[in-house]
Amino acid sequence: MSGHQTEGVVKKIIRKIGQECAARGHSLSEILVAFMVKAVVLDPRNNFNVDQILTKKDVQNLIQLCVTRLLDTTNPSLSTIKMQVYFDLNYANRAELLSEQRRVLEGRLASVVRDITNSNPRLQEEMENVYQKIVSYVLLSSGLGSPADIEVVREVTAALQSVFPKTEMISFISLSKKNKEQQLKNFAMLVTGIRLYNKECRKGGSGIDDLPAILNEAIPSATRTVDGILNTCHMLAHQYTALLESMQEDLGNYTQLSSFKLKEALFNVRQYEAFLCILLSDTITSAQEVEKMNVQFAATMEQLKNTVHNRVSIDTKEVFPLFVALSNLWTGFQDEILLLNFLTNITNNLQQFSEIQLRLLPEEVLTSLLEGVTVKSDEERIRETMGTRVNVSDFKNQEWLFPETTDNFDKLLIQYHGFCAHAIGVKGLILPGNPAIGILKHEERCYVFSSREAAYSFAQDPDKFIQLNIEKAKEHAELIHLLELQHQFEYLAPYVQASNADKCLMKPTTKCDCSTQTDTHILPPTIVTSYEWNEWELRRKAIKLANLRRKLTHAMQTNLSHMRRENSTQVYLPKDVSTQTKRDNSSNVPRPQVFLEGLRGGSSPTTRMVKVDLTRAVDET
């Protein structure tokens, strides 16, 4: 079946599941439905084999199982999957969030920038309109005050006129589009810095909130909120773990409680805990950035005050960089406000996925179940095993890492999110690993353990326990994300592929789209941006550099130069001429023919030679 037909069949399956859920009063996203399809196919209890053809009956069974699990509101696993889908779709790190925010802001200002850069006003009224658009751009770009507030608009206009008077509009219009855009950004930063300085001097600053004070109050509050929820998660995780360990030792005392549900509840708490740790780390980073910017802002403002102090005229080279620095720092404060609101919203929305804990195990029920059970925290479990360590000599073919023998030991990438690699597949528990026991490096991956015995058992046959962990993740699909096992399930396609829409469905053939790209310009560009082809533009720049408006031109004459002028003459250059003075002629001369007789001698003792000249005369030729 072609790719388009396959995509259509997959969408049909997901749409069918979504429609059945919607008919029962639950509206679910396609991403959540697709994730649930993957979880159901992976679960070995459902007897789906991705290497074999799925018939229509199997597909109907798959749809029914997915609908049942998606509508089970008492299932902690569903809440965990929903939590993971929500976090993946909505969370972004600092760099991604700020980059997206700047992209959105540039998109909102694109029409205003386009109107300004593409305009070519001629009349005075048209120039006034363009100038007002520049004021609007500066105000919207800075985000300091509302454009509907007349007082704010007047303040922005006055600040802009101090750095860009209306008389400079002709020069601005003559710039290229790229230079105009850069100038607009410079105007926005300068005006923002001026307004912040005026606010500090109590001479303006209408519509400007005290962002440093807001952040200094809001960040500690957000940190306390996340920290409080995180402590509750820690306590629940410790209690669930202790209860599961007690159930494995004596199952008869807990007949009214399902260990499978309790494990799913533990996975839910651990996932919630992991997400809260990420949010808390981001909040702490934000607090550190704000503290740093507060110091820089105060120092820059003090420097600006000392520079401007009671001076009537100030060189722009001294104050403009300080205004720009204030603007950049204030933009940093605005970014931290945005980040704090984002983290707060994520924290509040994640709470809905942990409410399943109270419905599954109310506080009074959990308290009664924990009677006589020793609850250990993660820190206590690690302290109990600090004195134990793996003996490297017991393993000839295994590589063990320890703090004193490994560089950057704390920065090693630990598998399973730092949890014990042995307890996951054997006990179905998520126990914190202790790196001090020793980190096993197997096939370029690092594993930690909760005890020395677990480390020895795992090291005997690592591949066996790794496969057990994979099988456990198939039973509980939420472990794939929690334990970071995505690389173990790369073979599974995100959907099933149909070979015949009327007969059966099959696993898709593994394919990959690849592409390569060659850089067009490998060497850095050598374009001289200051080059001008226009002679009048060069003259304008020369006049500007020479600053002739403040100079006087003097001239004088001497007796030698008086009444003199330049003269020029023109002559004709000689031309090439040739003559012929002789001619070629030829004549024939007779060929000499001379014969000698008697050179060989004869019978007489005296040799007699006779010379015969047969050469013809010249006049006979």
Side-chain angles (χ1 to χ4, degrees):
M1 178 175 288
S2 65
H4 293 290
Q5 291 175 325
T6 300
E7 186 178 357
V9 173
V10 172
K11 289 184 177 180
K12 183 178 179 180
I13 295 174
I14 296 177
R15 191 182 305 112
K16 179 65 175 177
I17 297 174
Q19 289 174 353
E20 292 194 16
C21 292
R24 303 184 188 183
H26 292 78
S27 179
L28 305 175
S29 65
E30 290 188 358
I31 297 178
L32 177 60
V33 174
F35 194 95
M36 185 57 67
V37 170
K38 181 177 180 179
V40 172
V41 172
L42 281 175
D43 196 338
R45 295 170 298 175
N46 298 325
N47 298 322
F48 287 109
N49 191 342
V50 294
D51 295 323
Q52 296 180 357
I53 294 176
L54 298 176
T55 63
K56 274 190 172 182
K57 182 179 179 181
D58 293 332
V59 173
Q60 292 298 328
N61 187 26
L62 173 63
I63 293 175
Q64 188 59 39
L65 288 173
C66 290
V67 172
T68 302
R69 290 193 61 176
L70 287 169
L71 298 182
D72 186 4
T73 57
T74 63
N75 186 4
S77 176
L78 177 60
S79 296
T80 307
I81 293 174
K82 287 182 178 181
M83 184 194 309
Q84 293 169 347
V85 172
Y86 170 81
F87 196 83
D88 286 343
L89 291 178
N90 293 274
Y91 175 76
N93 57 36
R94 289 176 59 90
E96 293 173 351
L97 183 63
L98 296 180
S99 176
E100 178 66 16
Q101 175 64 16
R102 293 188 179 93
R103 188 190 65 80
V104 171
L105 181 59
E106 290 177 358
R108 293 175 180 174
L109 297 175
S111 59
V112 181
V113 174
R114 196 181 307 113
D115 292 341
I116 296 173
T117 56
N118 293 339
S119 62
N120 190 18
R122 300 295 182 184
L123 302 178
Q124 185 66 27
E125 183 179 356
E126 294 176 347
M127 290 192 177
E128 285 286 343
N129 293 334
V130 175
Y131 195 85
Q132 290 302 320
K133 291 180 180 178
I134 296 176
V135 173
S136 300
Y137 169 84
V138 170
L139 179 55
L140 294 174
S141 177
S142 64
L144 302 181
S146 171
D149 191 339
I150 298 178
E151 184 64 26
V152 173
V153 175
R154 288 176 180 174
E155 185 177 330
V156 172
T157 304
L160 180 61
Q161 287 180 349
S162 65
V163 296
F164 178 60
K166 295 181 180 180
T167 55
E168 296 291 333
M169 278 295 296
I170 299 177
S171 300
F172 178 80
I173 295 170
S174 64
L175 297 175
S176 63
K177 183 176 181 180
K178 184 177 180 180
N179 291 336
K180 286 181 181 178
E181 294 176 353
Q182 186 60 40
Q183 282 288 80
L184 289 175
K185 294 179 181 179
N186 293 337
F187 293 156
M189 289 189 291
L190 290 173
V191 170
T192 301
I194 292 173
R195 293 187 63 198
L196 292 172
Y197 175 75
N198 291 338
K199 180 179 182 297
E200 183 70 16
C201 298
R202 304 182 184 277
K203 297 180 180 179
S206 177
I208 301 178
D209 297 326
D210 192 356
L211 297 186
I214 295 174
L215 288 169
N216 291 336
E217 181 180 354
I219 289 180
S221 176
T223 304
R224 287 192 298 269
T225 300
V226 177
D227 198 36
I229 301 174
L230 191 57
N231 289 333
T232 303
C233 284
H234 290 330
M235 183 181 64
L236 283 176
H238 302 156
Q239 291 174 345
Y240 289 168
T241 302
L243 196 56
L244 283 168
E245 289 177 332
S246 178
M247 290 177 64
Q248 291 178 354
E249 294 175 359
D250 186 6
L251 187 59
N253 294 333
Y254 302 94
T255 55
Q256 75 278 17
L257 183 62
S258 170
S259 62
F260 192 84
K261 288 280 188 182
L262 187 57
K263 287 180 181 179
E264 291 182 341
L266 175 62
F267 301 153
N268 179 276
V269 172
R270 286 296 189 183
Q271 184 63 82
Y272 190 28
E273 179 184 63
F275 288 154
L276 287 176
C277 287
I278 296 174
L279 298 177
L280 181 61
S281 175
D282 289 346
T283 306
I284 293 174
T285 302
S286 182
Q288 294 172 347
E289 291 295 325
V290 169
E291 183 179 0
K292 187 190 305 180
M293 287 190 297
N294 279 332
V295 176
Q296 295 176 352
F297 187 82
T300 305
M301 185 65 74
E302 186 65 26
Q303 183 181 358
L304 185 58
K305 287 181 179 179
N306 296 333
T307 304
V308 182
H309 183 66
N310 295 332
R311 293 174 61 180
V312 179
S313 177
I314 308 173
D315 190 358
T316 56
K317 294 181 180 180
E318 297 183 30
V319 293
F320 277 15
L322 297 177
F323 287 142
V324 172
L326 285 180
S327 175
N328 292 333
L329 290 171
W330 199 260
T331 302
F333 287 128
Q334 292 174 327
D335 292 342
E336 296 304 327
I337 288 286
L338 173 68
L339 287 166
L340 185 61
N341 291 334
F342 171 76
L343 296 175
T344 302
N345 291 334
I346 293 288
T347 303
N348 295 335
N349 292 330
L350 283 179
Q351 291 184 9
Q352 60 181 316
F353 304 111
S354 65
E355 295 174 354
I356 187 69
Q357 308 294 336
L358 295 177
R359 295 198 299 268
L360 180 66
L361 284 175
E363 186 176 355
E364 56 275 8
V365 175
L366 183 59
T367 303
S368 63
L369 291 173
L370 289 172
E371 291 181 0
V373 178
T374 303
V375 179
K376 299 179 182 179
S377 65
D378 292 347
E379 293 77 11
E380 290 174 346
R381 293 177 183 272
I382 293 176
R383 282 198 298 268
E384 288 179 355
T385 57
M386 286 300 293
T388 60
R389 173 177 286 200
V390 171
N391 189 1
V392 181
S393 60
D394 295 337
F395 303 92
K396 297 181 180 180
N397 299 325
Q398 300 290 355
E399 181 181 0
W400 292 90
L401 306 179
F402 298 97
E404 63 274 7
T405 60
T406 306
D407 294 334
N408 300 321
F409 184 80
D410 296 335
K411 298 181 181 180
L412 291 175
L413 182 61
I414 307 299
Q415 298 299 304
Y416 305 131
H417 202 69
F419 293 113
C420 177
H422 179 266
I424 297 171
V426 176
K427 300 179 180 180
L429 298 178
I430 298 181
L431 300 177
N434 185 3
I437 296 175
I439 297 179
L440 175 63
K441 188 175 183 181
H442 176 70
E443 295 182 352
E444 300 303 322
R445 300 182 187 277
C446 300
Y447 302 90
V448 293
F449 309 95
S450 58
S451 65
R452 187 172 182 267
E453 294 74 17
Y456 271 76
S457 178
F458 186 92
Q460 297 297 329
D461 191 357
D463 293 331
K464 168 189 171 182
F465 291 98
I466 291 174
Q467 188 59 36
L468 286 177
N469 296 338
I470 294 175
E471 295 300 324
K472 185 63 65 174
K474 290 180 180 179
E475 296 179 10
H476 305 277
E478 61 270 26
L479 289 179
I480 297 175
H481 192 287
L482 175 59
L483 302 180
E484 301 172 352
L485 295 175
Q486 291 87 346
H487 63 281
Q488 298 286 356
F489 297 92
E490 291 177 351
Y491 68 91
L492 184 67
Y495 51 79
V496 289
Q497 187 178 29
S499 62
N500 191 320
D502 298 328
K503 295 181 180 180
C504 57
L505 300 175
M506 61 165 46
K507 178 187 173 182
T509 304
T510 303
K511 296 182 179 180
C512 180
D513 294 331
C514 299
S515 62
T516 59
Q517 182 177 357
T518 303
D519 292 339
T520 304
H521 303 289
I522 300 177
L523 298 178
T526 57
I527 299 175
V528 181
T529 56
S530 59
Y531 170 76
E532 290 288 347
W533 63 269
N534 192 332
E535 179 183 353
W536 292 102
E537 181 65 20
L538 293 174
R539 290 168 60 88
R540 189 188 68 81
K541 288 185 176 181
I543 293 173
K544 185 177 180 180
L545 291 174
N547 199 9
L548 295 180
R549 292 176 297 177
R550 299 183 181 181
K551 304 295 188 297
L552 295 178
T553 302
H554 299 276
M556 64 180 62
Q557 283 185 327
T558 64
N559 291 331
L560 296 178
S561 65
H562 180 59
M563 295 298 291
R564 296 292 181 89
R565 64 183 178 86
E566 296 180 354
N567 293 331
S568 61
T569 59
Q570 182 177 3
V571 298
Y572 291 98
L573 297 177
K575 62 180 180 179
D576 295 335
V577 178
S578 62
T579 59
Q580 185 175 358
T581 60
K582 65 177 182 178
R583 67 177 181 175
D584 295 334
N585 202 353
S586 63
S587 63
N588 291 331
V589 297
R591 181 179 179 183
Q593 294 182 356
V594 179
F595 299 92
L596 300 176
E597 180 187 6
L599 293 178
R600 295 183 179 179
S603 58
S604 62
T606 305
T607 300
R608 292 184 179 182
M609 183 186 69
V610 179
K611 180 179 180 181
V612 181
D613 189 359
L614 298 181
T615 302
R616 298 179 64 181
V618 175
D619 54 354
E620 293 181 1
T621 60

